[in-house]
Amino acid sequence: MTKWQGSVTHASEAEKAWARVRASLRESAGVRLFEQWLKPIELIPGEDRDTIRLALPSAFMTNWVRNHYADRLVLEFKQILPNVRTVQIETRAPGRAAVVLAIEPVADAIPAKPVADPLPVETKPTSKSVAEPVQATMKFGVDPSLKPAPAPVVTLAPVGVPAERPPLDPRYTFARFVVDPSNKVAFNAAKVLAEPGPVRFSPLFLHSGTGQGKTHLMHAIGHAFLEHNPHAIVLCMSAERFMYDFVASMRARDTHAFKQRLRGADLLLIDDLQFIAGKDATQEEFFHTVNEIMAAGKRLVISADRCPQALEGVEARIVSRMSVGLVADIKAPDLVLRRTILDRKLVDLPDMRVPTDVLDLLASRIHANIRELEGALNRVVAYAQLTGDTIDLDFAIATLGEVLRGAQKRVTIDEIQKLVSAHFELKPLDLISARRARAVARPRQIAMYLAKRLTTRSLPEIGRKFGGRDHSTVIHAVRKIEELRDSDRDIDAAVRVLMRELEG
């Protein structure tokens, strides 16, 4: 076989292999992601049997495919052509020299994000092509005499996960958001912004502590807006992702596509703005993006862990823009709201029975944020399913020991005795006395019950604090109050009031 015949044979094998690889990618990635990112890839004929050369029309697309599909391409080709060692990804466009990007990691490469970390995705493809500005070409040292090639306006899709819509959590809807005075303003503002018609205010700035419902409301806005406008372009990302994509576009020398993608959104949702504090270049681009969206009369939602004026390291002009729209805070949930959220959560667990006292325990002891509260309930349910045990108060305490201790406000037995005696108009000494009259015995049992619920003291320790009583007496008191809470509304109401006061 001549050298020329060998080259032809290799080219034919490479073309057949590429056809099979494309088919595999189309099936695994889905139509949306394949059409946007993988279909434009072209096979470049070559004589080297160890190397496969692929080309894309822009540096931005080349960088994205290289970061997210490099290993996959190598594996796909190796399965068909065992001699392949390297897959090179090149940027080739009319009038330009090819820029080769091999798949091996390089020092200045943007690190690939995990597959679980969602990238924003538009809800409809962009068909317009925008010519790359000549000024930008000259700035990066390319020969200005060369005619710049048209570069397609591209969008980012989720890494490895094809989707027709933005990565919105299906659980986070307005219908599933529990409303009370602590979040009512934010909830109503979010619903108004998602409604069709003229934009009444923009941006909407939501702020609260971690796990209080900001992200829930942002995703709910996205769901409702798409319900009213199915073909709208919605982008949802964290500020960290905004920064990452911007830096990636600069290194790929394709910031134009990045700008077009964000500024073309009908609704832009950016979570955790505080993460761009101190990032001057990112803040510059963020400021201009915000200006363009507001000037176009489009919808913008921003969230952070504090109000705009308290964002340290964020430029004053960005703070000013954030304050132009509506700023709404979400306060920490009180005991009633936490308890209601747990009831709502149980709707998703129809096959599990969680006793009322366990729900009360979780609501009273875990008050840092809603995410931890739901996580604690999920943990109790999961442990019960794995062990086959019945969920009761002792099981919940044993399962969540360190969680309860870490989230617990330091309530002492002395504080419980003082509050209970004041509530029932007794003297603190009555609770540790030997008196057995119901007017004293019932409050004493309630105090023991609260001591078991709200402190980490052992049963013998609790007994000693109540006049040297035996631990079996404490057990009897706890069980008695649990029974009465189910049958006696007055006792249940008294316990709830006392727990609320003790938890502050």
Side-chain angles (χ1 to χ4, degrees):
M1 181 182 295
T2 66
K3 182 178 180 181
W4 179 81
Q5 289 174 324
S7 298
V8 172
T9 301
H10 170 65
S12 176
E13 291 176 349
E15 289 174 358
K16 292 179 180 178
W18 175 230
R20 291 173 59 183
V21 170
R22 280 173 60 94
S24 175
L25 293 175
R26 183 186 295 109
E27 181 179 355
S28 62
V31 176
R32 173 76 172 177
L33 188 142
F34 180 83
E35 291 288 327
Q36 288 183 347
W37 293 103
L38 305 177
K39 186 177 180 180
I41 301 175
E42 295 181 357
L43 176 69
I44 301 176
E47 298 180 1
D48 189 349
R49 292 179 175 271
D50 297 336
T51 302
I52 295 293
R53 298 174 62 200
L54 303 175
L56 286 114
S58 78
F60 195 23
M61 297 180 74
T62 299
N63 191 60
W64 189 91
V65 172
R66 178 177 175 273
N67 282 337
H68 304 305
Y69 272 86
D71 294 339
R72 172 68 180 275
L73 288 168
V74 173
L75 291 175
E76 292 278 359
F77 274 106
K78 272 185 171 293
Q79 289 177 357
I80 305 171
L81 302 174
N83 292 332
V84 171
R85 296 182 180 179
T86 304
V87 174
Q88 291 182 341
I89 304 176
E90 306 177 14
T91 301
R92 289 171 61 94
R96 288 189 181 182
V99 179
V100 180
L101 292 175
I103 67 162
E104 288 79 5
V106 293
D108 60 348
I110 300 290
K113 289 287 182 179
V115 170
D117 186 12
L119 284 169
V121 58
E122 294 186 2
T123 60
K124 64 179 182 181
T126 304
S127 58
K128 292 171 61 179
S129 294
V130 179
E132 189 172 287
V134 176
Q135 293 86 346
T137 304
M138 296 175 63
K139 179 178 179 181
F140 291 110
V142 180
D143 186 355
S145 65
L146 297 177
K147 183 180 178 181
V153 178
V154 298
T155 60
L156 287 178
V159 180
V161 181
E164 292 293 330
R165 290 195 167 194
L168 301 175
D169 193 317
R171 300 170 302 167
Y172 293 163
T173 63
F174 286 130
R176 294 176 61 87
F177 192 85
V178 182
V179 185
D180 90 328
S182 67
N183 55 37
K184 189 173 184 179
V185 172
F187 176 80
N188 289 336
K191 291 197 70 174
V192 168
L193 189 71
E195 292 175 352
V199 181
R200 294 172 59 179
F201 53 82
S202 184
L204 170 61
F205 190 95
L206 302 171
H207 68 94
S208 73
T210 301
Q212 308 290 18
K214 301 185 301 294
T215 302
H216 187 140
L217 281 181
M218 293 185 74
H219 285 224
I221 292 171
H223 284 302
F225 186 72
L226 285 171
E227 185 178 348
H228 296 303
N229 308 277
H231 302 293
I233 299 175
V234 175
L235 293 180
C236 179
M237 66 176 71
S238 66
E240 183 182 22
R241 173 57 60 179
F242 178 96
M243 178 179 67
Y244 173 82
D245 287 350
F246 176 59
V247 172
S249 70
M250 287 197 300
R251 291 185 178 179
R253 300 180 179 182
D254 199 7
T255 57
H256 184 68
F258 173 82
K259 297 173 188 287
Q260 287 294 109
R261 180 171 63 91
L262 266 72
R263 299 176 188 184
D266 299 303
L267 170 62
L268 179 60
L269 306 157
I270 296 184
D271 203 1
D272 292 325
L273 181 64
Q274 68 272 8
F275 284 114
I276 67 170
K279 308 294 190 302
D280 294 340
T282 301
Q283 290 190 41
E284 179 77 18
E285 179 58 31
F286 179 81
F287 173 76
H288 292 301
T289 298
V290 169
N291 270 354
E292 290 290 333
I293 295 235
M294 293 176 63
K298 297 181 179 180
R299 290 165 170 81
L300 175 64
V301 184
I302 309 291
S303 80
D305 62 355
R306 65 205 74 176
C307 67
Q309 291 74 17
L311 289 170
E312 298 179 1
V314 176
E315 294 180 6
R317 57 180 179 168
I318 294 179
V319 172
S320 177
R321 290 294 186 278
M322 296 299 97
S323 304
V324 167
L326 178 61
V327 178
D329 69 326
I330 302 175
K331 298 179 177 62
D334 60 14
L335 180 61
V336 175
L337 178 56
R338 296 196 298 271
R339 186 65 174 78
T340 305
I341 289 171
L342 290 176
D343 288 336
R344 178 67 61 85
K345 181 72 176 176
L346 280 179
V347 175
D348 299 330
L349 306 169
D351 298 330
M352 296 302 298
R353 180 185 177 279
V354 182
T356 299
D357 58 350
V358 172
L359 297 175
D360 289 341
L361 173 70
L362 299 181
S364 62
R365 296 278 282 275
I366 302 176
H367 42 75
N369 63 66
I370 296 170
R371 193 174 296 127
E372 289 185 10
L373 182 65
E374 292 182 342
L377 177 61
N378 289 337
R379 181 173 176 177
V380 170
V381 170
Y383 273 53
Q385 290 175 333
L386 292 172
T387 62
D389 294 336
T390 301
I391 298 177
D392 57 21
L393 192 60
D394 291 335
F395 178 83
I397 293 174
T399 302
L400 300 172
E402 72 280 4
V403 176
L404 298 178
R405 286 190 291 272
Q408 174 184 4
K409 176 187 173 183
R410 295 298 179 182
V411 178
T412 66
I413 294 178
D414 289 337
E415 289 175 334
I416 293 173
Q417 290 174 338
K418 289 179 182 178
L419 187 61
V420 170
S421 59
H423 182 86
F424 289 100
E425 299 181 351
L426 300 172
K427 296 177 182 179
L429 290 176
D430 291 333
L431 299 182
I432 62 176
S433 70
R435 295 179 57 189
R436 295 187 178 182
R438 176 170 294 187
V440 175
R442 193 68 77 218
R444 182 188 296 126
Q445 289 175 330
I446 291 176
M448 290 181 178
Y449 172 83
L450 293 173
K452 177 70 169 63
R453 288 283 304 272
L454 302 180
T455 76
T456 57
R457 299 294 185 183
S458 65
L459 294 175
E461 288 177 314
I462 295 173
R464 284 194 293 270
K465 293 291 287 186
F466 284 86
R469 286 173 165 80
D470 188 79
H471 75 281
S472 61
T473 303
V474 179
I475 294 175
H476 172 75
V478 171
R479 290 177 177 172
K480 185 65 177 178
I481 298 304
E482 288 175 351
E483 294 174 1
L484 290 174
R485 290 194 66 184
D486 292 332
S487 59
D488 191 320
R489 293 184 179 180
D490 292 336
I491 293 293
D492 184 59
V495 171
R496 289 179 181 275
V497 170
L498 290 166
M499 289 178 64
R500 190 178 301 120
E501 292 187 26
L502 286 167
E503 300 242 323

